[in-house]
Amino acid sequence: LFKLSAAPFHMWAPDVYEGAPTTTTALLATVPKIGVFSILVQIGPVTNVVLVCAVLSIVYGAIGALNQTKIKRLLAYSGIGHMGFILFGVAIGSFESIQASLIYMVIYVIITICSFSIILSLKLAKDLIVEVGGLSRDNPVIALTLALAFLSTAGIPPLAGFLSK
């Protein structure tokens, strides 16, 4: 659960996401989570601790993301919340719930790679959300793609993030 950055083992994620280079952050946001998810699925039915961690992750990820001004910290808290949704399926342990968690994981990885690719292409100076403000006038295609990626991350219908939740 530590590598998943699931609550209560999530404290490292926002600081590491902010302090690391963006390419390293993109790697940390995807690869370890896929590995730990596959290990949790292989272990089989797990205890109620995972269910409690799932609930705490969703709540803490949502509350922590509300007051962020930096994009990478926002994505860190978003990742904490997303891991809560994935842990729900693992905690239930049925075939359908594991399958739903796998679909959610695939969509999460795609959206995360898309978000970090756009952030890398923008070459932001301080990784502040304010720096993306005039993007729609400078490059409307990138702005639309980033908006769709973030809206999908938030779970807005009819985007993939909503359908996977």
Side-chain angles (χ1 to χ4, degrees), residues 1 22 29 41 45 66 78 92 95 103 106 108 116 120 135 147 160:
L1 297 177
T22 307
V41 170
L66 288 177
S78 171
I92 293 170
F95 176 74
I103 292 169
V106 169
Y108 168 77
F116 277 107
L120 276 169
L135 186 61

Side-chain angles (χ1 to χ4, degrees), residues 36-142:
V36 172
F37 172 73
S38 63
I39 291 171
L40 282 175
V41 170
Q42 290 294 323
I43 290 174
V46 290
T47 62
N48 289 335
V49 173
V50 176
L51 187 60
V52 170
C53 288
V55 172
L56 288 175
S57 295
I58 291 172
V59 170
Y60 191 80
I63 291 172
L66 288 177
N67 202 19
Q68 295 307 312
T69 57
K70 297 191 175 195
I71 292 177
K72 291 198 289 186
R73 286 186 75 87
L74 178 71
L75 289 173
Y77 283 108
S78 171
I80 293 168
H82 285 291
M83 289 308 109
F85 283 107
I86 290 171
L87 285 177
F88 261 131
V90 173
I92 293 170
S94 69
F95 176 74
E96 290 82 9
S97 66
I98 299 294
Q99 189 177 22
S101 290
L102 179 62
I103 292 169
Y104 193 91
M105 178 63 84
V106 169
I107 290 174
Y108 168 77
V109 167
I110 291 169
I111 292 171
T112 303
I113 289 172
C114 180
S115 299
F116 277 107
S117 298
I118 293 170
I119 291 169
L120 276 169
S121 71
L122 294 178
K123 296 178 180 145
L124 303 175
K126 296 180 182 177
D127 288 331
L128 295 173
I129 297 172
V130 177
E131 293 181 74
V132 187
L135 186 61
S136 63
R137 288 183 288 280
D138 299 337
N139 196 339
V141 174
I142 297 277

